[in-house]
Amino acid sequence: MDSKEKIVVVGGGFAGINFIKRIDRNKYDVLLIDRNNYHSFPPLFYQIASSGLDPASISFPFRREMRKMKPRPIYNMGEVKTIDVVEKKLTTQFETIHYDKLVIAAGTINNYFNMTDLYKYVYTLKSTSEALRCRNEILDRLERASITTDLEERRKLLSFVVIGGGPTGVEVAGAIGEMKRYIIHREYPRINPDEVQIILVEGSDRLLQVMSPSSSRHALEYLKSLMVDVHLQRRMQSYEDNVLTFSDGTKIYSEMVIWTAGVTGVTFEFKGASPEMGPGHRFVVDEFNRAQGIDDLFIIGDISYHADDAYPHGCPQLAQVAIQQARTLAKNLNDGEFKTPFRYKDKGSMATVGRNRAVADLNHVQLSGFPAWFCWMFVHLISILGMRNKFTVLINWIWAYFSYPTSLRLLLHPSRYPLRSRWGER
């Protein structure tokens, strides 16, 4: 008779996949549930959006990764709808699953700050499919602008606004800026690069609030060198009829707005009891990543809110936090007792603005320019799953370093038919 307890993991991001790798599968049966059948690498979504990498380079099928694990965990595709913590079962659109222990590592979604229906009109970078949609729109606009003779229409097609001056916003604005400065005149000779308008809007007084003031200044300088217009201390209030309205009354016309301004936790419907909710719709956990008052429920990654003396407002929503939480939780469950509390060890932050342009705040060291850019590439390369993916990304980066033209600027629109029930079309 099999006496192993069943652990269900919701979400296969940095937290979920690292937990599955570390948990003792001789002691537990492990089941992963995720809406996608692959693990992706969010720090490089912006490179998909800017045609720097193809989606397969930063995505890795769960089943292929699990094939190497012995005993092998199980993957079920699905999106969790409800969780019954009394009956210890959860429901997806396909099935109902019972568990002995539940690990929620579902991550976050975009936060639109109560702007109703904004999600229908802005482009986002929280998934591989969203990044690919963004890439298609950028390329589509460049193609249409290259054939129109109407100057006003061309101006509208070539207006890009990025909302949010965090790492993602800075990186995608810098990537589009590199296209403006180095690519347009080579591949779209009928477009004057000066006709392309790129605006980055940040509500606070500086970019990269999570990093040092020095890194913020360098990032601003790099963006300006790429002909990106940066607007600080400007908060967006609405986006209607392609017009952005800000709190100071100013308005900007743009038909393509890329939203990177904030995140909020994924929502679930709980039955029996609900975990305590913290800021940002994150679930409050103790030092062992346990949900208080609910047996056998653990929450790790960006969706968890763990506060301590070092981080009284909660740990930052970074990949390293998720990875370290996953490893600590797996260790405690493997030991059969909770004696190792989670303590986040900050390994630094970094962001890239383009080739040879990056900033890095490491332990006791601040880097900028080429050294930071090289460090950024190395850290991200070793973090990608799969040797093939690492090799592909490296080759693409080497090629792009010596030659800006790339074969990845492909405009791939999905076919509309046949209609699929997945999007409620039938």
Side-chain angles (χ1 to χ4, degrees):
M1 180 178 179
D2 189 358
S3 60
K4 291 198 292 186
E5 287 188 301
K6 182 177 183 179
I7 296 180
V8 174
V9 181
V10 179
F14 288 120
I17 199 69
N18 276 277
F19 173 82
I20 292 173
K21 286 182 176 181
R22 295 293 181 122
I23 194 67
D24 185 354
R25 293 178 302 279
N26 290 305
K27 185 175 182 179
Y28 299 101
D29 285 325
V30 180
L31 169 66
L32 170 65
I33 301 174
D34 197 290
R35 62 185 300 179
N36 299 308
N37 72 341
Y38 56 87
H39 167 84
S40 55
F41 194 73
L44 294 181
F45 283 156
Y46 84 94
Q47 290 211 357
I48 295 178
S50 59
S51 304
L53 293 173
D54 68 276
S57 297
I58 64 166
S59 304
F60 201 86
F62 288 128
R63 296 185 184 279
R64 182 179 174 186
E65 182 69 9
M66 290 176 173
R67 187 179 61 190
K68 300 179 293 184
M69 303 180 189
K70 305 297 181 185
R72 184 185 298 187
I74 297 173
Y75 164 73
N76 283 13
M77 184 175 72
E79 187 171 359
V80 175
K81 302 295 186 181
T82 61
I83 299 174
D84 188 330
V85 299
V86 176
E87 298 292 330
K88 289 191 174 183
K89 63 181 181 181
L90 54 82
T91 303
T92 72
Q93 70 270 46
F94 304 120
E95 60 182 340
T96 296
I97 301 170
H98 291 265
Y99 65 86
D100 294 302
K101 299 183 187 299
L102 177 63
V103 178
I104 297 179
T108 56
I109 55 177
N110 293 291
N111 185 356
Y112 299 103
F113 301 101
N114 299 317
M115 284 183 268
T116 306
D117 292 338
L118 183 62
Y119 70 95
K120 296 179 180 178
Y121 308 110
V122 297
Y123 292 82
T124 51
L125 294 172
K126 285 293 292 178
S127 70
T128 302
S129 57
E130 290 175 18
L132 189 57
R133 177 79 180 271
C134 189
R135 183 190 82 176
N136 281 345
E137 184 66 16
I138 293 173
L139 296 177
D140 182 85
R141 290 185 170 278
L142 291 175
E143 295 295 347
R144 285 188 286 151
S146 69
I147 60 176
T148 184
T149 57
D150 187 324
L151 295 181
E152 179 62 18
E153 178 64 18
R154 180 177 292 186
R155 184 188 68 81
K156 291 180 179 180
L157 286 169
L158 298 176
S159 66
F160 304 95
V161 176
V162 180
I163 304 295
T168 302
V170 166
E171 288 169 347
V172 71
I176 301 174
E178 282 199 320
M179 293 180 70
K180 174 181 178 178
R181 182 169 178 175
Y182 301 112
I183 300 298
I184 296 296
H185 72 279
R186 300 184 185 191
E187 300 196 5
Y188 301 88
R190 286 177 287 181
I191 298 177
N192 184 344
D194 291 336
E195 295 176 303
V196 181
Q197 182 184 43
I198 308 165
I199 298 175
L200 173 62
V201 181
E202 164 59 28
S204 66
D205 60 351
R206 66 183 179 94
L207 302 173
L208 301 175
Q209 280 286 331
V210 298
M211 300 185 69
S212 67
S214 174
S215 292
S216 298
R217 289 194 300 271
H218 284 299
L220 181 60
E221 294 170 2
Y222 294 149
L223 287 170
K224 288 182 176 179
S225 72
L226 293 172
M227 299 181 285
V228 176
D229 190 9
V230 179
H231 295 188
L232 299 176
Q233 293 183 301
R234 183 168 290 181
R235 295 184 180 276
M236 177 178 154
Q237 284 190 329
S238 65
Y239 181 50
E240 298 179 1
D241 299 324
N242 296 324
V243 175
L244 289 152
T245 303
F246 298 91
S247 56
D248 60 2
T250 57
K251 298 179 184 292
I252 297 175
Y253 182 92
S254 178
E255 295 181 356
M256 183 172 186
V257 176
I258 303 175
W259 181 265
T260 69
V263 295
T264 185
V266 173
T267 59
F268 300 98
E269 178 186 347
F270 284 91
K271 295 182 178 180
S274 297
E276 180 184 352
M277 193 66 68
H281 213 275
R282 300 160 71 186
F283 297 117
V284 177
V285 295
D286 64 11
E287 67 269 30
F288 300 107
N289 285 99
R290 299 176 298 195
Q292 292 299 292
I294 303 179
D295 294 335
D296 298 318
L297 175 60
F298 309 92
I299 305 168
I300 56 177
D302 289 354
I303 199 173
S304 70
Y305 182 81
H306 172 264
D308 55 21
D309 293 338
Y311 297 93
H313 302 295
C315 291
Q317 291 169 293
L318 301 173
Q320 272 302 317
V321 176
I323 293 169
Q324 292 176 31
Q325 285 181 334
R327 292 173 177 175
T328 302
L329 177 59
K331 182 181 186 306
N332 285 320
L333 290 175
N334 290 341
D335 293 342
E337 57 181 332
F338 291 91
K339 61 181 182 180
T340 305
F342 169 69
R343 295 289 183 267
Y344 173 49
K345 297 178 181 178
D346 188 0
K347 296 185 178 180
S349 302
M350 56 184 65
T352 182
V353 190
R355 185 169 67 167
N356 295 337
R357 300 177 179 91
V359 290
D361 291 344
L362 308 178
N363 290 335
H364 312 297
V365 178
Q366 292 179 1
L367 302 175
S368 62
F370 178 79
W373 181 72
F374 186 83
C375 181
W376 177 92
M377 285 199 305
F378 176 77
V379 169
H380 285 71
L381 189 64
I382 64 174
S383 301
I384 297 173
L385 285 183
M387 186 56 64
R388 173 192 172 278
N389 291 37
K390 296 180 195 291
F391 184 76
T392 302
V393 170
L394 179 61
I395 292 298
N396 273 283
W397 283 350
I398 292 174
W399 184 269
Y401 187 81
F402 293 103
S403 174
Y404 277 103
T406 172
S407 61
L408 300 178
R409 272 185 280 281
L410 305 175
L411 185 54
L412 302 173
H413 289 305
S415 174
R416 176 175 174 79
Y417 297 103
L419 297 179
R420 292 292 307 278
S421 58
R422 181 181 179 91
W423 292 280
E425 293 175 316
R426 67 175 183 180

